[in-house]
Amino acid sequence: MEISYIFVGVPLLGAIIHLFVSKKPRSLNRITELLLLWYLGVGIGVGSLFSGLVQVISPEIVAQSTGWGYSPFLREVGFANISYGIVGLLAVRFRNFWAPTIIAYAVFMWGAAAGHIYEIQQTANLSAGNAGTVLYLDSLMPLFLIILLLVYQKTLKKDSSS
């Protein structure tokens, strides 16, 4: 099992459990709120910290999984991931961090996805760290989070106007 599934599955499971344990009324707004909290905190926060630490501590392992050669630049990318991890964790406490965290994460992930696609086209690199799950998550997770945030904002306005 790829570790990336943990950072997709655990936030979903956490949000579902949180929804059923919480005494607050269930609504579309509450569901999107909990999904955002869990995906920002665990998916981006813990997931990006984990990825960043691996890239900083063992960039050779990351290079091998992507099918790319080792480069000191991998450590720099690791620190970028660590920064997303920190803002993801802060977003759990500070809701005004939600949009900036998602925007920064989307720019980075879509840039990474474009790099993976370029590598696939130019070198036919289908290594696990360049194609497959990582490519799908880099492409779709930011879109998922943007949609969640838009739904949350729209339903928040509806709830407050009633």
Side-chain angles (χ1 to χ4, degrees), residues 27-104:
S27 65
L28 180 57
N29 182 261
R30 181 67 175 156
I31 292 166
T32 56
E33 173 187 35
L34 293 177
L35 286 168
L36 282 164
L37 283 170
W38 280 87
Y39 275 102
L40 287 166
V42 177
I44 294 178
V46 176
S48 294
L49 278 175
F50 177 81
S51 296
L53 288 172
V54 170
Q55 290 167 317
V56 168
I57 295 167
S58 302
E60 300 83 8
I61 292 172
V62 176
Q64 185 179 15
S65 78
T66 60
W68 302 340
Y70 166 77
S71 165
F73 184 68
L74 284 168
R75 282 198 170 91
E76 291 183 32
V77 172
F79 283 108
N81 268 314
I82 290 169
S83 73
Y84 301 123
I86 291 168
V87 295
L89 291 174
L90 287 170
V92 172
R93 175 71 175 93
F94 303 105
R95 298 200 176 205
N96 59 337
F97 274 51
W98 285 12
T101 300
I102 292 169
I103 292 166

Side-chain angles (χ1 to χ4, degrees), residues 83-136:
S83 73
Y84 301 123
I86 291 168
V87 295
L89 291 174
L90 287 170
V92 172
R93 175 71 175 93
F94 303 105
R95 298 200 176 205
N96 59 337
F97 274 51
W98 285 12
T101 300
I102 292 169
I103 292 166
Y105 181 77
V107 169
F108 182 74
M109 288 297 115
W110 285 337
H116 294 308
I117 291 167
Y118 179 83
E119 269 298 300
I120 291 167
Q121 290 176 338
Q122 296 299 310
T123 67
N125 179 355
L126 298 176
S127 299
N130 191 60
T133 304
V134 71
L135 177 57
Y136 292 117

